[in-house]
Amino acid sequence: MSTRPQLFRGLVLAAATALLLNNTALAETATSQPAAGPPSVADLAEGLLDAVVNISISQNVKSDDDDAPMPQVPEGSPHQEFFDEFFKGQGGEGNRPRTVNSLGSGFVIDSTGFIVTNNHVIQDADDIEINFSDGSKLKAKLVGMDTKTDLAVLKVEPKKPLKAVSFGDSRKIRIGDWVMVVGNPFGLGVSVSVGVVSARGRNINAGPYDSFIQTDAAINRGNSGGPLFNMRGEVIGINTAILSQTGMSVGIGFAVPTELAMNVVNQLKEFGETRRGWLGVRIQPVTDDIAESLKMERPHGALVSGIIEGGPIAKGEIKAGDIITRFDGTDVAEIRDLMRAVGESPVGKMVDVVIIRDGKEQTVRVTLGRLEDGEHLANVQTNENGEGAKPTEPPAAQLPATDAVLGMKLAVLDAGRRKSFGIAEDVKGVVVTEVQPNSAAAERRVAVGDVIVEVGQEAMDTPEDVSARIEELKGDGRRNALLMIANKTGELRFVTVQME
């Protein structure tokens, strides 16, 4: 009997101790867990919704045009009838014109009526209408568009100042930061979704300046052109694309960051067009093979494959074969870095460009031209050169080609072969007259009629020069030969051909 109370008290004490330890552990767990996501974005959204707009466009097309904008709606959707009526239009049979409607999103950046959206939202539109959150509607005109970043600026004429939002600095966001998407998915009206930044600097091969913000916030058809907000209510991206086989969000959406968009938007707003810097060079990536052939420690920079005639490079400041490693204070890890840095630079600015030439680093100064002028110049030169006839074998009366070198038969580029292959007069080097199937050269797509201008950064005049240089590189322990190849019009490219 005397032991039972003691046993009972022991059990009570043990239970109390266990409960205390358990509560302490729970408290420690609660305090040690990271903070949860924002409990609500209602206050944030409430102050921003009025600045986000729905954009509807009308486009006159033939009724048999299969390329008309048409969202895919799952069978059995409660909105199937709405989509069929709205998107298929009221056209008749045959080829009679009909009106096709499409929807997107946008946001007001200036209370006087300037609106940002995606170019693909309003492209080829015959009529653009802006629908505001209060139910009002205004016709919009296109101020300017940029296909390279898929951005466009519109203008409406409001009777009173509009609610506008401001751009934030997308460079300050981190992976895991909360973001909010506001837009017009599937034409349902302004909708809000929340997620996190999944990645930065994504390249999805959509354009030359790809550096997208990736987010898992829901982005669907109709969200294109809408804003991606940070938790301070600043626009840090413009929703542009999704990765999906169904056309619906699977948690992988992409937005143009404001660090790229702001300069474009400001230029479109001020000039109605972009005014990007232009270096006037053709570039290609520095691959592992190219880096090895040039004895670089690691592949980096952008390899200059040609200089555009009439461009900013007028005095040989930069030459084909140079590797650009730094532009105006910005390191160039890959060609995309150079394209962005040049494109974001003002026209007419004098910049320092760090290059590697003949294994030595040097700095040159270049005054930038305008990219849009350069594109026109390049098109004119291409049209003037033309494509010409397909190369044919040179007449038998000419000197024979050498024995195969790296799977190629080579010959002196004399007047007869120049005419036979249709090679421009200013192209110098050794012409390729035959490429053996499955050879090292064939793998690198060297073709009959191509001209070998350089091997291992040394100019070539005869087939014997090529053979001697290849043997020299082999003796130097090189595994690949870096060839500068010109096509018949003189456009250059670099290829590495395995010598083993």
Side-chain angles (χ1 to χ4, degrees), residues 47 57 167 217 257 264 392 426 431 466:
I57 72 156
F167 286 120
V264 174
T392 58
D426 59 346
V431 64
V466 177

Side-chain angles (χ1 to χ4, degrees), residues 216-262:
D216 65 352
I219 298 176
N220 286 288
R221 296 189 182 197
N223 279 117
S224 290
L228 180 70
F229 290 106
N230 60 20
M231 291 296 102
R232 291 187 295 274
E234 300 168 330
V235 178
I236 48 95
I238 295 92
N239 304 317
T240 298
I242 62 174
L243 182 63
S244 173
Q245 294 181 338
T246 65
M248 297 184 180
S249 174
V250 294
I252 304 178
F254 302 97
V256 179
T258 54
E259 61 189 283
L260 177 62
M262 285 179 62

Side-chain angles (χ1 to χ4, degrees), residues 158-406:
K159 295 181 179 180
K160 61 181 181 179
L162 300 175
K163 169 69 177 180
V165 290
S166 60
F167 286 120
D169 189 350
S170 60
R171 294 171 297 183
K172 294 181 179 180
I173 64 169
R174 300 185 302 164
I175 295 174
D177 280 347
W178 288 95
V179 288
M180 181 175 69
V181 168
V182 183
N184 178 34
F186 298 112
L188 297 174
V190 175
S191 302
V192 175
S193 63
V194 176
V196 298
V197 174
S198 305
R200 296 181 54 187
R202 283 292 195 220
N203 180 7
I204 61 173
N205 297 316
Y209 306 110
D210 278 17
S211 185
F212 289 100
I213 299 170
Q214 180 183 326
T215 178
D216 65 352
I219 298 176
N220 286 288
R221 296 189 182 197
N223 279 117
S224 290
L228 180 70
F229 290 106
N230 60 20
M231 291 296 102
R232 291 187 295 274
E234 300 168 330
V235 178
I236 48 95
I238 295 92
N239 304 317
T240 298
I242 62 174
L243 182 63
S244 173
Q245 294 181 338
T246 65
M248 297 184 180
S249 174
V250 294
I252 304 178
F254 302 97
V256 179
T258 54
E259 61 189 283
L260 177 62
M262 285 179 62
N263 189 42
V264 174
V265 168
N266 289 336
Q267 289 184 5
L268 294 178
K269 183 179 175 182
E270 182 176 358
F271 306 114
E273 60 185 2
T274 55
R275 298 185 177 183
R276 291 187 172 95
W278 179 49
L279 193 55
V281 298
R282 296 185 179 92
I283 55 177
Q284 67 181 72
V286 179
T287 64
D288 291 337
D289 289 341
I290 290 177
E292 186 272 335
S293 67
L294 296 176
K295 292 187 174 181
M296 298 174 64
E297 293 182 358
R298 58 183 177 84
H300 67 286
L303 176 61
V304 179
S305 60
I307 307 298
I308 298 177
E309 185 179 350
I313 309 299
K315 301 179 180 179
E317 301 94 333
I318 298 176
K319 299 179 180 180
D322 291 344
I323 296 178
I324 299 175
T325 60
R326 193 171 179 82
F327 175 87
D328 197 24
T330 300
D331 289 331
V332 178
E334 56 181 343
I335 60 174
R336 191 166 49 130
D337 298 331
L338 180 62
M339 295 174 69
R340 284 192 57 193
V342 175
E344 293 175 359
S345 300
V347 177
K349 181 180 182 181
M350 181 173 286
V351 297
D352 289 332
V353 182
V354 178
I355 62 173
I356 297 176
R357 179 182 297 169
D358 298 328
K360 298 179 181 179
E361 186 176 276
Q362 55 183 284
T363 301
V364 298
R365 303 207 80 187
V366 180
T367 300
L368 298 179
R370 185 185 175 200
L371 176 62
E372 292 75 12
D373 296 336
E375 291 175 335
H376 174 72
L377 180 63
N379 289 334
V380 170
Q381 291 178 3
T382 299
N383 292 335
E384 288 177 348
N385 290 329
E387 288 301 318
K390 183 178 180 180
T392 58
E393 291 294 330
Q398 294 179 341
L399 294 175
T402 64
D403 292 335
V405 178
L406 301 179

Side-chain angles (χ1 to χ4, degrees), residues 13-153:
L13 179 60
T17 301
L19 181 60
L20 177 61
L21 291 174
N22 187 47
N23 289 339
T24 302
L26 289 174
E28 289 176 351
T29 301
T31 56
S32 63
Q33 287 180 344
S40 172
V41 293
D43 291 339
L44 178 65
E46 186 177 10
L48 301 172
L49 293 181
D50 289 344
V52 181
V53 300
N54 297 345
I55 299 176
S56 62
I57 72 156
S58 298
Q59 180 184 359
N60 294 322
V61 298
K62 293 182 179 180
S63 60
D64 60 352
D65 188 353
D66 293 332
D67 294 327
M70 189 79 67
Q72 298 175 356
V73 183
E75 290 296 330
S77 168
H79 303 288
Q80 180 73 48
E81 183 178 351
F82 164 80
F83 279 109
D84 287 345
E85 178 181 355
F86 189 86
F87 285 95
K88 291 183 180 179
Q90 302 295 327
E93 299 295 331
N95 293 326
R96 288 191 302 173
R98 65 187 176 92
T99 299
V100 172
N101 301 286
S102 183
L103 294 174
S105 303
F107 56 98
V108 181
I109 59 168
D110 189 310
S111 61
T112 61
F114 285 97
I115 294 169
V116 173
T117 187
N118 281 147
N119 175 60
H120 76 259
V121 170
I122 52 83
Q123 191 172 18
D124 300 325
D126 296 308
D127 186 64
I128 305 174
E129 187 174 69
I130 307 300
N131 305 284
F132 295 89
S133 60
D134 62 1
S136 61
K137 300 179 180 181
L138 289 174
K139 296 292 184 180
K141 67 176 183 179
L142 177 63
V143 175
M145 62 182 183
D146 178 44
T147 58
K148 292 181 173 63
T149 55
D150 194 21
L151 296 176
V153 174

